[in-house]
Amino acid sequence: MSEETPTSVTMEKDGDVAVIIVNNPPVNALSWHVRQGLEDNFAAALSDDSVKAIVLRCAGTTFIAGADISEFGKPPRGPDFNAVLNSIEAASKPVVAAIHGTALGGGLETALVCHYRIAVPSAKLGVPEVKLGLLPGAGGTQRLPRVVGVEAAATMTSTGDPLPAAKAKELGLVDELAGEDSLAADAIAFARAKIADGPRPTRERPVFGDIAVIEQLKTANAKRWRGFEAPYANLACVEAATRLPFDEGLAFEREQFMKLMFGSQSAAQRHIFFAERQAAKIDGLPKDTQLRDIKKVGVIGAGTMGGGISMNFLQKGIPVTIVEMEQEALDRGVGVIRKNYDASAAKGRFKPEQVEQMMGILTPTLSLDDLADCDLIIEAVYENMDVKKDIFGKLDKIAKPGAILASNTSYLDVDEIATATSRPGDVLGMHFFSPANVMKLLEVVRGEKTAPDALATAMAIGKKVGKVAVVAGVCDGFIGNRMLKPRQIEAMNLLMEGATPAQVDKVHVEFGMPMGPFQMSDLAGVDIGWHRDPNRIESIRDALCAEGRWGQKKQAGFYDYDDKRQPSESARVAELIEEFRTKAGTQKREITDQEIIERTLYPMVNEGALILAEGKAQRASDIDVVWIYGYGWPVYRGGPMFWAGLEGTDKIVAALEKHGFEIAPLLKEKAEAKSGF
Ligand code: T1G
C-alpha cells in the first residue's frame, strides 16, 4: 500500500472467518483507495490458510452505495474495478456480503461477485445507474440475470428502482435475512456454515427467465423513457446476457457503458445528481446554525395550493391547522384533501387507516387566531399584495415568537409583504408548484431581512416533506417564473410572425419538455393574470380570454380539447392570429424549428445569467434544479444553464444578437471564454 492511500478498508478475524470492512464515509463509495483496499485485503485473506471463509461488510450507515461518482471524468487511479471484482468472484473460499442500508450500483455489483449475500430486513438493493444516464458497468447486467433471472434484471436495470431486502430474498438476490441489529454476528455464522458448500461463482450460474419482458418494458415505459438513451442500453445488455457467453457479455456491457459515460446525457444527469444535493446548501450559513423546531404548521387558504401544501405535512405526521374565510370554502378544501388521499389509497399508496390518521391531524378553522401555536404558517391565498399584507399584519399579532411566516406567492415582493409585520426576520417565501403535493420543487425566497436560521429551517422542512428546496432571491417571478416569462413572450411573438402554437409546442416536446408554451398555458389557464375586461383586447391572449378560451378548463384555449382533454389545432385561433397580424401589419413568414429554439430557450439562459449576476440564485446548478423539478426540463439535458455549456455559450450569444436581444454581461463573459456556467 503506497504511503498516501487512505485506510478505508481493514480486516479482522473471527476464528477461521476473515471480516473485511469498508469504511469510506458518507456512503462507502468505491473510491480508488477502497478498490485498492479490497484488492489488498482479499489477497491477504485468501493467502491466509487459517481463513476458511470471508465476510465483506461496511461501517457507517450503509453498504457500498456505488462507484465514486465524483471520480468520473478524472484520470483513473487505483486498480481497475472489474479486475478487483473478478478476483473476489474467483476466490477459493466462500465470500459472503453482509448488507445494511443500501447496496447500490457498484455496491450491488460487489455483492454479486460475493458467493452469498445476507442482509438486514431494512436494507435496499438496486442498480440506479440508469438515473445517472449509465448502466451497471462492472458486470451487473451480466450477473443479475444469473441470480434473479431476466425479468427482474431487466426491470431493476432499466428503472433503477431499488428492492427491499425481503423482495430481494424472494428473488434469490439475498440468501439470508439477518437480525436488524445482529448483522455482523449473523454474517460470520452464515459464512462459517458456507465453508462446507464452498465458493459459488456467479458467472458460472445459468441465465434464466423469459426475454419477452424486455419488449414489454419498452412498451410500458415508452412515454417515460422518451429521449433517454440509458434505459435502452441497459435492456440491450440484459438481452445480450441471454445469448452471449459471460466474458463476451461483459465486453458488450463495457462498450455500452463507455458510450454512455462519455455521452452528454450521463454528464447532464450526473450534474443534476450533485446539483440537487448542492442546492440544499446555503452559502455562507454556518454549518451549526440552529434550526427552529417545526412541530405544527398553519396554512391559510384551502384552495388548490393550500390543500396540496397541507398534504405534504400531514403525510409526514406534522399536524396542520388550515384556515378559510367561509365554511363552504373550508369544507370544499378539506373534502378535496380527503378525496386526493382516498384516490391515492385506492392506488395502494396509503392504507385506509393512514388516511384517517392524516385527516385526524388536520384541523379546519375559520379563525386565524387558531394559528397562535404554529411554528410555521404558510399563506396561500390569491395573488393580491394588499390582501397578503393584511394577512401578515394580522399574523404579526397572532403568531408566537419565533414562528416562521411564509408566503406561497409565485411572484409578489416578499420584502414588501414583510413590511406588514414587526418581525421581517421571520418572513420568507415558500413557493410550492402545482399540484403542491406532487411537484418536488420548492423555491424558498430569502427576503432582505430574512434571518439565517429561518431560511435554513424552511430549507430543511422542505427536504423533510420530500421537496427539492432551492434558495431564490426576491425579484419578479423568483427563478423559475422569471425565466419562463421571456420564453412565453417570444413564443407569442413567433405566432405573430408566422409560427403556429402547434409548431412551437412540437419543438419543445421534441426537445424533451413534457409540453410546449401553449399547451402549458392552456393547462395552467390562459386567463391567469388576465385583466378580466372582455372589451379591452390588446393581445392574442386578451382576445382568447374575451371569447372564453381560458384553456383546458374551458375545452378551448390555444387549442380545442375533446372530452379526454386531447388537444387539436383550432381554426378559430389561427383566424384570430391572422387578424392580429393584419392589424399589426406583420407579414407572415417561414419560421424554422431552430429559430424557435433560439428565440424561446436561449433567452431563458440569458435571463438565468442575469439572475446569477444579481445573486437571486446562489449558483447556476440551482437554476438547473429549479427547471428540472419545477418545469419538466429533460434531466438528460441537465437544466438550462448546464445545457448552455453543451450548446455553446458563444453560439447562444451569436443567435441572441442576431435576434436583437440584449445580452446579459455574465453570458457574454462566458461566451468570450467559450465556457459554460
Ligand atoms: N459517489 C460519490 N458521492 C456520493 C455517492 C457516490 N456514489 N453517493 C452519495 N454521495 C455523496 C453525496 O453527494 C453527498 O455529498 C453525500 O454522499 C450524502 O449523499 C460501476 C457506474 C446512497 C441513497 O447512484 O442514491 O456505481 O452533498 O445526500 O440522502 O456500475 O446518496 O454531503 O457533499 O444523497 O442519505 C451508483 C447514489 C453509482 C447511488 C444516500 N450509485 N447515491 O442518500 O445522502 S454509479 C448511485 C444515492 C455506479 C457502477 C456504476 C444516495 C444514497 P454531500 P446523500 P442520502
Side-chain angles (χ1 to χ4, degrees):
M1 272 197 264
S2 55
E3 71 290 343
E4 80 275 1
T5 306
T7 313
S8 48
V9 184
T10 54
M11 181 165 79
E12 48 191 56
K13 280 175 70 180
D14 181 305
D16 55 2
V17 175
V19 182
I20 294 176
I21 302 166
V22 175
N23 187 7
N24 184 29
V27 295
N28 290 315
L30 287 151
S31 312
W32 67 272
H33 48 82
V34 172
R35 301 194 303 273
Q36 186 68 62
L38 287 173
E39 186 175 72
D40 298 343
N41 284 280
F42 269 93
L46 290 170
S47 59
D48 178 341
D49 293 341
S50 69
V51 171
K52 303 298 181 219
I54 303 169
V55 168
L56 171 64
R57 70 175 172 79
C58 294
T61 60
T62 181
F63 191 75
I64 299 166
D68 185 338
I69 310 169
S70 66
E71 285 184 352
F72 292 177
K74 296 192 181 125
R77 282 188 78 174
D80 171 67
F81 186 33
N82 270 303
V84 174
L85 293 190
N86 290 339
S87 65
I88 295 173
E89 185 176 45
S92 56
K93 306 169 183 180
V95 180
V96 172
I99 299 167
H100 73 297
T102 56
L104 300 175
L108 184 57
E109 290 173 302
T110 306
L112 279 167
V113 296
C114 297
H115 306 131
Y116 308 95
R117 286 153 290 279
I118 181 169
V120 295
S122 64
K124 289 212 168 27
L125 300 84
V127 277
E129 283 87 341
V130 71
K131 297 181 179 176
L132 297 168
L134 293 170
L135 53 84
T141 69
Q142 304 304 302
R143 291 191 175 95
L144 269 174
R146 288 171 162 80
V147 175
V148 297
V150 171
E151 292 89 341
T155 306
M156 288 176 74
T157 54
S158 62
T159 65
D161 300 332
L163 299 175
K167 179 72 183 166
K169 172 102 172 45
E170 213 182 283
L171 288 169
L173 181 56
V174 163
D175 300 287
E176 180 98 351
L177 288 179
E180 193 60 49
D181 309 315
S182 59
L183 177 64
D186 294 352
I188 291 169
F190 183 67
R192 191 160 285 129
K194 288 297 173 189
I195 293 173
D197 301 355
R200 182 183 61 172
T202 306
R203 63 170 54 224
E204 292 167 11
R205 297 168 67 174
V207 173
F208 60 98
D210 181 354
I211 199 173
V213 68
I214 290 181
E215 287 314 313
Q216 290 156 5
L217 281 164
K218 289 181 186 171
T219 312
N221 294 286
K223 191 158 177 270
R224 182 175 157 196
W225 291 347
R226 185 171 65 83
F228 287 89
E229 295 158 356
Y232 300 98
N234 275 271
L235 291 176
C237 291
V238 173
E239 187 277 332
T242 65
R243 56 182 169 78
L244 296 175
F246 185 83
D247 285 320
E248 286 177 41
L250 213 55
F252 179 82
E253 176 194 275
R254 190 91 208 133
E255 186 200 312
Q256 295 293 317
F257 178 81
M258 296 313 272
K259 243 194 263 163
L260 294 174
M261 174 64 103
F262 293 102
S264 68
Q265 292 204 353
S266 179
Q269 289 175 261
R270 280 180 270 140
H271 162 73
I272 291 299
F273 175 85
F274 287 114
E276 188 182 329
R277 284 152 182 80
Q278 199 60 16
K281 299 179 178 135
I282 304 170
D283 290 348
L285 189 84
K287 260 212 163 23
D288 59 355
T289 297
Q290 288 305 308
L291 301 183
R292 302 185 192 180
D293 235 354
I294 306 292
K295 289 201 176 59
K296 194 163 186 230
V297 169
V299 174
I300 305 171
T304 312
M305 291 308 290
I309 292 169
S310 302
M311 291 174 74
N312 291 307
F313 294 94
L314 298 172
Q315 275 150 231
K316 294 295 174 185
I318 301 172
V320 172
T321 300
I322 191 164
V323 186
E324 255 301 348
M325 308 277 277
E326 275 131 37
Q327 193 61 47
E328 195 233 334
L330 190 59
D331 296 344
R332 190 174 49 243
V334 172
V336 170
I337 294 175
R338 175 174 283 282
K339 194 167 89 345
N340 286 340
Y341 279 144
D342 289 343
S344 300
K347 292 187 203 128
R349 262 204 65 210
F350 299 113
K351 298 195 185 77
E353 57 272 23
Q354 283 177 304
V355 172
E356 292 319 315
Q357 216 176 7
M358 293 188 285
M359 294 308 291
I361 55 173
L362 176 65
T363 308
T365 177
L366 296 175
S367 166
L368 275 178
D369 295 338
D370 292 339
L371 302 178
D373 61 349
C374 290
D375 305 299
L376 165 65
I377 300 169
I378 304 173
E379 160 275 312
V381 303
Y382 66 97
E383 298 283 28
N384 177 291
M385 182 56 86
D386 296 338
V387 172
K388 292 186 189 283
K389 287 175 79 171
D390 175 56
I391 290 172
F392 275 74
K394 291 188 175 117
L395 286 179
D396 194 30
K397 299 185 180 54
I398 294 165
K400 66 181 184 182
I404 294 177
L405 309 180
S407 172
N408 179 55
T409 179
S410 56
Y411 63 92
L412 291 175
D413 185 333
V414 171
D415 288 329
E416 185 174 343
I417 293 172
T419 60
T421 77
S422 60
R423 48 172 113 182
D426 300 332
V427 177
L428 44 76
M430 288 181 81
H431 177 211
F432 290 82
F433 286 71
S434 182
N437 58 313
V438 178
M439 293 297 286
K440 287 199 72 167
L441 180 65
L442 172 66
E443 285 182 325
V444 176
V445 184
R446 167 177 23 204
E448 212 175 293
K449 299 198 174 104
T450 300
D453 66 328
L455 181 67
T457 303
M459 291 288 284
I461 193 78
K463 184 169 183 183
K464 184 170 179 180
V465 298
K467 302 302 178 190
V468 176
V470 175
V471 176
V474 173
C475 56
D476 188 3
F478 313 131
I479 298 175
N481 287 346
R482 178 172 167 181
M483 291 168 71
L484 188 65
K485 209 167 169 188
R487 185 189 88 164
Q488 299 303 97
I489 291 170
E490 271 309 296
M492 293 303 290
N493 291 343
L494 284 158
L495 291 191
M496 285 295 286
E497 296 169 41
T500 64
Q503 182 194 6
V504 175
D505 286 349
K506 182 169 94 21
V507 169
H508 282 253
V509 170
E510 283 171 0
F511 181 83
M513 301 296 284
M515 63 183 68
F518 298 107
Q519 288 156 324
M520 193 172 105
S521 192
D522 279 355
L523 180 68
V526 181
D527 60 321
I528 286 188
W530 179 47
H531 49 62
R532 311 272 144 194
D533 177 358
N535 303 315
R536 201 174 107 207
I537 310 265
E538 289 156 1
S539 68
I540 294 170
R541 216 162 65 85
D542 284 351
L544 292 174
C545 290
E547 295 187 12
R549 300 184 68 92
W550 296 1
Q552 280 194 20
K553 59 189 169 190
K554 293 280 186 177
Q555 288 199 293
F558 285 96
Y559 297 87
D560 294 329
Y561 292 86
D562 62 19
D563 301 344
K564 294 195 181 63
R565 292 196 169 220
Q566 288 310 305
S568 57
E569 292 195 60
S570 159
R572 174 62 194 136
V573 173
E575 195 181 48
L576 255 176
I577 295 171
E578 198 47 47
E579 284 166 19
F580 269 81
R581 287 186 192 130
T582 313
K583 232 189 300 176
T586 309
Q587 198 50 44
K588 180 177 172 179
R589 63 179 176 82
E590 187 65 28
I591 306 269
T592 64
D593 291 1
Q594 180 53 28
E595 180 174 352
I596 292 171
I597 293 270
E598 291 176 359
R599 289 178 55 186
T600 56
L601 296 181
Y602 289 5
M604 290 173 55
V605 173
N606 198 36
E607 196 66 31
L610 292 172
I611 289 170
L612 270 178
E614 294 166 19
K616 302 303 181 188
Q618 296 191 97
R619 48 192 86 88
S621 60
D622 282 10
I623 296 177
D624 293 332
V625 168
V626 163
W627 271 81
I628 299 272
Y629 286 104
Y631 300 82
W633 182 283
V635 67
Y636 57 79
R637 292 189 190 271
M641 308 316 279
F642 181 86
W643 173 71
L646 293 177
E647 189 75 356
T649 46
D650 51 342
K651 177 180 165 193
I652 291 173
V653 165
L656 287 172
E657 282 170 344
K658 180 179 72 184
H659 296 300
F661 286 89
E662 192 186 330
I663 313 297
L666 179 62
L667 176 56
K668 198 168 269 174
E669 210 182 286
K670 297 295 181 188
E672 277 147 17
K674 290 198 183 322
S675 80
F677 286 87

